[in-house]
Amino acid sequence: METVNQLLSSIQDVGRDAVRGGYSRAVFTTPELDLRQWFVEQAQHRGLDVETDRNGILWAWWGQPQEGALVTGSHLDSVPGGGAFDGPLGVASALAAVDILKSRGFQPPRSLAVTVFPEEEGSRFGVACLGSRLLTGAIDTDKALNLRDVNGDTFADVASANGLDPRHMGPDPDAMARIGDFVELHVEQGKGLGQEGPAIAVGSSILGHGRWKISVSGQGNHAGTTLMTDRADPMVAAAQIVLAIRETAARQPDARATVGRLTPVPGGTNVIASRVDLWLDARHPDDAVTAQLIEGIYRAAQDVAAAEGCTVTLTEESYSDTVHFDAGLSRRITELLPGAPVLATGAGHDAGVLAGYVPSAMVFVRNPSGISHSPEEYVADEDASAGAVALADVLEGLL
């Protein structure tokens, strides 16, 4: 029987990013594929039957695949330069929970499945939770298949190159019917659990959140021959837009707005850019307030761009409403984990997508610093072990 820490140690060298630090494990890249194979081997070692569905989701079954099963799991992909626990902790904990249940002599009266969802972070194709969105029909299939990565490769082409048939991708009612309840364990990505007290919490809700692409167009030109007064520089406008985003969000209580990626075109040191693309992540508990926030940001961006002789467009790439997890399921989990507090989260998860279709819930494990999506993300060994035991208790109680 392997502990969570031993399982995570066995993949600690997969996808290390020598430039950014941490891990870069984008979907269908070598590191992520290596982790998928690791999961298959680990599941089979435990006597679980593994299958890959038409959307690239891995299912490892304890018992026969059947309707109404209890399902747990998470993801193995990462943000660029991410931490070691976001995603893999939930997968390793699910495998460890199976070990714990077997060591107790437990035999599930209904089937249990451990899943791995692809492209949860959206770091390659820009849409978070793409696997679960395809499964449920929460994203238009044609839109998903035509998403492109930074190299211009479509999701359809990349999926096809990795053994999936794009013609069969999309909503999967049969697979959805197998999910009676879904429970996702995840590292807590804020300071909700702190450094003292309980190491485990039960999730209550996920902030409404989305991603938007802002494109600022100006006049590409020579950096040396173009006078400062003759420029329509979209980089200058983009810099002011980033500041305007921060200022607009700061005026709205509980709002979060972030520009984490900015790309100048063509990107030469001695070239005035012709266009600058930046990506906005915005979140708020009230979906109406999120919409107002985006409207305010777009107005500010238009004003800034016009003052620099540029134009701006804003395109929504993805959006998820605020999610409240199934009250009955969450209450039952709280009863099975006495003393565990109930926490809301600002981070998106596959459980949040599934919550619109099947009873779903989340269990969080302490991250003492609250730092996540960073190499500094951390879970203590004893807290990881406590999380696996808690998940085992939840699965046994629900089964």
Side-chain angles (χ1 to χ4, degrees):
M1 184 171 75
E2 291 183 276
T3 66
V4 175
N5 310 308
Q6 289 171 328
L7 287 165
L8 292 176
S9 293
S10 69
I11 59 172
Q12 65 182 351
D13 294 326
V14 179
R16 283 192 180 274
D17 192 318
V19 176
R20 301 180 181 94
Y23 296 90
S24 292
R25 298 161 167 169
V27 70
F28 296 138
T29 61
T30 298
E32 196 260 0
L33 292 171
D34 287 346
L35 291 185
R36 288 168 67 89
Q37 183 58 37
W38 165 84
F39 172 77
V40 170
E41 293 170 356
Q42 290 291 334
Q44 291 175 339
H45 176 69
R46 287 162 174 78
L48 307 183
D49 295 322
V50 184
E51 62 180 8
T52 304
D53 73 12
R54 65 196 196 195
N55 290 306
I57 301 166
L58 293 171
W59 301 73
W61 288 94
W62 187 0
Q64 294 298 313
Q66 61 182 220
E67 292 188 3
L70 177 59
V71 182
T72 187
S74 194
H75 63 98
L76 292 170
D77 65 306
S78 77
V79 298
F85 301 93
D86 181 355
L89 179 69
V91 176
S93 297
L95 294 169
V98 169
D99 288 341
I100 292 168
L101 292 175
K102 289 190 173 186
S103 73
R104 295 174 180 174
F106 179 75
Q107 289 295 324
R110 62 179 167 126
S111 293
L112 171 69
V114 179
T115 55
V116 174
F117 289 94
E119 186 67 334
E120 192 273 350
E121 298 291 2
S123 59
R124 183 166 184 181
F125 291 99
V127 175
C129 302
L130 186 57
S132 54
R133 288 179 190 272
L134 281 166
L135 170 68
T136 58
I139 188 172
D140 178 78
T141 304
D142 288 338
K143 175 183 177 180
L145 293 176
N146 285 291
L147 293 170
R148 293 182 181 272
D149 64 14
V150 294
N151 297 318
D153 295 323
T154 67
F155 179 65
D157 288 342
V158 172
S160 179
N162 285 277
L164 301 176
D165 188 339
R167 296 173 299 176
H168 297 152
M169 299 182 81
D172 191 339
D174 292 338
M176 285 299 299
R178 295 174 175 181
I179 307 175
D181 300 289
F182 181 75
V183 180
E184 180 174 3
L185 180 143
H186 204 279
V187 59
E188 206 256 319
Q189 293 174 281
K191 296 182 178 180
L193 283 167
Q195 298 186 11
E196 298 180 359
I200 309 299
V202 180
S204 61
S205 60
I206 295 176
L207 289 185
H209 58 283
R211 299 181 183 189
W212 290 261
K213 180 181 180 181
I214 300 173
S215 292
V216 189
S217 297
Q219 177 60 62
N221 216 327
H222 195 292
T225 62
T226 309
L227 298 178
M228 301 304 288
T229 54
D230 292 339
R231 300 182 178 206
D233 188 343
M235 183 65 82
V236 174
Q240 295 179 65
I241 289 170
V242 172
L243 294 175
I245 288 170
R246 183 180 68 173
E247 292 164 0
T248 303
R251 292 194 294 268
Q252 179 60 61
D254 294 325
R256 299 100 191 261
T258 306
V259 175
R261 181 158 64 106
L262 183 150
T263 304
V265 179
T269 302
N270 59 347
V271 178
I272 300 169
S274 59
R275 189 182 81 246
V276 175
D277 297 327
L278 52 148
W279 282 265
L280 166 67
D281 179 301
R283 309 178 187 225
H284 191 275
D286 186 327
D287 298 322
V289 174
T290 304
Q292 295 169 6
L293 177 66
I294 297 303
E295 289 176 6
I297 288 172
Y298 187 37
R299 287 195 300 269
Q302 288 176 310
D303 291 343
V304 166
E308 295 295 334
C310 299
T311 59
V312 65
T313 61
L314 182 145
T315 305
E316 180 184 301
E317 293 197 332
S318 66
Y319 186 75
S320 297
D321 292 338
T322 293
V323 170
H324 297 277
F325 291 115
D326 185 84
L329 180 59
S330 295
R331 182 170 56 252
R332 180 69 179 125
I333 292 174
T334 302
E335 293 169 352
L336 292 166
L337 301 176
V342 176
L343 291 179
T345 181
H349 301 282
D350 290 305
V353 174
L354 293 173
Y357 305 86
V358 296
S360 300
M362 292 196 72
V363 174
F364 295 119
V365 178
R366 178 180 18 232
N367 176 7
S369 69
I371 295 173
S372 188
H373 281 189
S374 162
E376 298 171 68
E377 181 180 84
Y378 177 69
V379 175
D381 289 353
E382 58 268 26
D383 289 347
S385 295
V389 172
L391 182 60
D393 292 343
V394 167
L395 297 177
E396 182 174 1
L398 294 177
L399 287 167

